[in-house]
Amino acid sequence: MKIAVLPGDGIGPEIIEQAMRVVDALRGAGLDIETEQASIGGAGYDQHGDPLPASTLELAKAADAVMLGAVGGRQYDALEREKRPEQGLLRIRKELGLFANLRPAIVYKELAHASSLKPELVNDLDVMILRELTGDIYFGQPRGQRKTDTGEREGFDTMKYSESEIFRIAHVAFGIARKRSRKLCSVDKANVLDTSILWREVVSDVAKEYSDVELTHMYVDNAAMQLVRAPKQFDVILTGNMFGDILSDEASMLTGSIGMLPSASFDAGNKGLYEPIHGSAPDIAGQNLANPLATILSMAMMMRYTFNLEEVARQIETAVSAVLGQGLRTPDIFEPGMRKVGTVEMGDAIVAAL
Ligand code: IPM
Ligand code: MG
């Protein structure tokens, strides 16, 4: 198993370090895992003048799977868009063709009280958000700034989806729904956007091949509201790139902390990039405060989806539950009565539990 490891910026390196200790433990148990690190984001810019250095892309292409920390930092805010850390992330997604982004929002029973919603609304919550990741307004051309006839500046972006892009993500969504409770909710803004009208048409067409899955459609504003009103009505949510970005952050908070949620992104051949859904949190970087669990759980997803090692994935997830059960909490999920620990101590406990 060849894993390309891209720590990135901010808390990226410290959370990746803990995930690498999990890899070491797996090696100790006999798994043949090779890892190689490379820079991305601001770190890529600092080292090679490019947020996605050619050598990093090459390594990622050659690997079986990619593990990524996080990108971004205030010191890069003034750079032109092409050089900004976020471009490294967007380009690697695009270059590797990672169009299908799985973002599960799962509530650990130990953390139900850390949710910003009442525990009874979120107990046992298990929602899978499937976000399209290589299209939409994130990548649509033309985009930029221009002068209008009256001489003022105007910024513009292009939202678009082709039929084939919608078709392939819809198939992934129905496939996932089939393995879960066979309920799929497609989220769009078809009351306003032409892109969404096509989205709805194509998803409805694909649905004909999956008569065992119940498909519903919801406008994104309503979905945002329903997620905080009654999140358990959802099982699998399918949506485009920008709506998925927003709804997955919202869903993460239902689970108690964005620091708990892993994600996986796949190309057409099931090659995966795994990353926590949170950002680089520069405000807490380097202080042993970050929660490494989302990254460790991303490693579990890698074992499950890329390497087909369901048992190993479960062992990592069980170790996470066990450590939460012991009362260990990083600051983001801390509650009185629990034991507050740092990034490294959380890693120690996971390795011990494993
Ligand atoms: C995410 C992030 C990225 C995105 C940023 C960092 C470019 O918010 O992975 O959700 O918008 O996709
Ligand atoms: Mg986001």
Side-chain angles (χ1 to χ4, degrees), residues 286-331:
Q287 300 168 51
N288 197 33
L289 293 172
N291 184 347
L293 293 180
T295 314
I296 289 170
L297 289 166
S298 298
M299 188 57 76
M301 285 186 95
M302 181 190 289
M303 292 297 139
R304 169 172 298 123
Y305 292 112
T306 294
F307 299 120
N308 269 315
L309 294 170
E310 177 62 30
E311 195 50 40
V312 176
R314 290 240 174 101
Q315 281 165 4
I316 298 172
E317 289 162 353
T318 306
V320 169
S321 295
V323 167
L324 293 174
Q326 290 160 19
L328 274 66
R329 299 284 187 275
T330 42

Side-chain angles (χ1 to χ4, degrees), residues 103 131 245 248-249 277:
R103 298 193 161 189
R131 169 188 178 195
D245 178 44
S248 61
D249 265 31
I277 87 153

